[in-house]
């Protein structure tokens, strides 16, 4: 059984990015975070991402806004960052307060600075297989994880349990592309899928991304399947994934742990997307 070490692979990617960035004369790539309110998990995530920037030489800044900010006020701050020459990427940390329309905020970000990959223009480019856009960081991290682990997806049946706009849908779009590192046959399942257990057992590559602790048990996994666990669930026993790791690893040919699997790749892809944006904007 192969343990897919996302932490190690992410470090290798960040090391390469650092080597590229250190050679830049003049201004470095810039990434701006917008943090709304006092949500503790959001503050933790932004701090982790900012630390990643510092480690490889990306300039970063955090704009902390009150939880009662109006939608117009938030869009005004985004517009300011859209016009800022020293900023190549903008990330507005979700979730948003109830008075904020998520779709409107995502659309307000310049698609060329949308390093999170959620703008409709970037999603459209992804679906069409058009180059030049940004893919969402977690799905891009999963595809990169499979490639770096020498797990071939061509012709394989990938079952993704979870249909979110953040993971499930963009991951399906990435894996079905007619290109190297993709070419998979993709099924998206969810909590309402009939015969879900049987469907999961048909997967050559099973991706758990539904946010339910230990939902994927050993009897839902085909012997020899690759299992990718996207879940991060806080429990009394600490962080656990959507996969019952200790039992599933007995039947899987390869599996990601939680923590240390997909999570570090998400940050690595955010940094990579920011560097790509910098290169595009600076020619």
């Amino acid at each position: 059984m192969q343990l897919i070490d996302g932490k190690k692979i992410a470090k290798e990617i960040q090391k390469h990015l650092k080597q590229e960035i250190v050679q830049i004369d003049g201004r470095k790539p810039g990434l701006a975070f917008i943090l709304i309110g006092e949500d503790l998990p959001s503050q933790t995530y932004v701090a982790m991402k900012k630390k990643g920037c510092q480690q490889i030489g990306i300039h970063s800044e955090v704009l902390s806004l009150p939880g009662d900010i109006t939608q117009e006020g938030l869009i005004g701050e985004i517009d300011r960052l859209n016009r800022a020459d020293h900023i190549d990427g903008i990330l507005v940390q979700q979730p948003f307060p109830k008075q904020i329309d998520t779709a409107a905020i995502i659309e307000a970000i310049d698609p060329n600075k949308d390093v999170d990959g959620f703008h409709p223009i970037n999603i459209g480019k992804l679906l069409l297989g058009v180059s030049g856009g940004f893919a969402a960081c977690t799905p891009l991290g999963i595809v990169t994880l499979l490639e770096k682990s020498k797990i071939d997806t061509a012709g394989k049946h990938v079952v993704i349990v979870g249909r979110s706009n953040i993971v499930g849908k963009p991951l399906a779009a990435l894996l079905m592309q007619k290109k190297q590192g993709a070419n998979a046959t993709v099924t998206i399942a969810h909590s309402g899928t009939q015969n879900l257990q049987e469907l999961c057992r048909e997967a050559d590559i099973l991706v758990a991304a539904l946010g339910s602790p230990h939902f994927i048990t050993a009897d839902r996994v085909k012997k020899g399947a690759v299992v990718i666990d996207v879940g991060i669930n806080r429990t009394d026993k600490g962080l656990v994934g959507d996969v019952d790791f200790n039992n599933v690893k007995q039947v899987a040919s390869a599996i990601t742990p939680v923590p240390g699997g997909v999570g570090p790749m998400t940050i690595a892809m955010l940094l990579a997307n920011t560097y790509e944006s910098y290169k595009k904007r600076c020619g």
Side-chain angles (χ1 to χ4, degrees):
M1 191 277 299
Q2 176 187 0
L3 183 68
I4 302 174
D5 191 342
K7 196 171 183 180
K8 179 182 177 184
I9 294 170
K11 280 185 176 179
E12 291 170 354
I13 291 168
Q14 289 177 222
K15 181 181 177 182
H16 173 73
L17 288 170
K18 184 175 182 178
Q19 290 170 344
E20 294 279 315
I21 291 169
V22 77
Q23 298 178 49
I24 297 173
D25 291 326
R27 90 162 177 90
K28 305 294 186 182
L31 176 57
F33 302 98
I34 297 179
L35 188 56
I36 307 163
E38 303 295 327
D39 183 64
L40 188 58
S42 293
Q43 292 174 345
T44 302
Y45 292 141
V46 168
M48 290 168 60
K49 293 166 185 174
K50 185 174 177 60
K51 182 179 177 182
C53 291
Q54 291 170 339
Q55 288 173 338
I56 70 167
I58 287 178
H59 164 77
S60 65
E61 51 192 64
V62 179
L63 177 61
S64 296
L65 300 174
D68 61 354
I69 190 170
T70 64
Q71 184 157 304
E72 293 73 18
L74 178 54
I75 289 175
E77 294 292 350
I78 292 170
D79 185 55
R80 180 179 64 80
L81 292 170
N82 283 340
R83 292 181 279 107
D85 289 337
H86 70 293
I87 295 298
D88 304 291
I90 301 169
L91 187 153
V92 188
Q93 184 66 43
Q94 298 188 43
F96 300 149
K98 61 181 183 297
Q99 77 273 14
I100 302 296
D101 178 4
T102 299
I105 297 309
I106 291 171
E107 288 184 37
I109 299 170
D110 180 346
N112 295 311
K113 293 188 177 185
D114 169 44
V115 290
D116 237 0
F118 296 145
H119 194 284
I121 288 177
N122 285 322
I123 293 289
K125 287 181 176 180
L126 174 60
L127 284 170
L128 293 171
V130 176
S131 62
F134 293 109
C137 298
T138 299
L140 185 59
I142 293 168
V143 172
T144 305
L145 207 56
L146 292 169
E147 285 183 309
K148 297 284 187 182
S149 302
K150 299 187 176 357
I151 295 169
D152 188 14
T153 56
K156 301 293 177 60
H157 184 196
V158 180
V159 175
I160 304 168
V161 187
R163 54 183 166 179
S164 72
N165 292 334
I166 296 172
V167 180
K169 291 176 186 176
L171 179 59
L174 276 170
L175 286 170
M176 68 175 65
Q177 297 300 322
K178 189 176 181 180
K179 65 178 185 179
Q180 187 175 353
N183 273 315
T185 298
V186 183
T187 301
I188 291 190
H190 48 82
S191 57
T193 299
Q194 293 184 359
N195 303 317
L196 179 58
Q197 180 162 318
E198 290 78 4
L199 182 61
C200 289
R201 285 180 61 86
E202 294 175 8
D204 300 309
I205 300 172
L206 180 61
V207 181
L210 68 163
S212 180
H214 292 170
F215 182 86
I216 300 297
T217 50
D219 58 352
R220 290 181 167 173
V221 179
K222 179 172 72 174
K223 187 170 179 59
V226 174
V227 180
I228 305 295
D229 191 350
V230 188
I232 301 178
N233 306 287
R234 287 176 170 81
T235 69
D236 294 339
K237 297 179 180 179
L239 287 180
V240 300
D242 290 350
V243 175
D244 180 9
F245 179 85
N246 288 331
N247 291 310
V248 170
K249 72 178 182 180
Q250 307 297 329
V251 294
S253 63
I255 189 170
T256 60
V258 174
V262 173
M265 294 298 296
T266 300
I267 295 177
M269 294 301 100
L270 173 66
L271 303 176
N273 277 352
T274 301
Y275 180 51
E276 286 303 312
S277 175
Y278 169 85
K279 288 195 292 183
K280 290 176 191 172
R281 297 182 69 246
C282 292

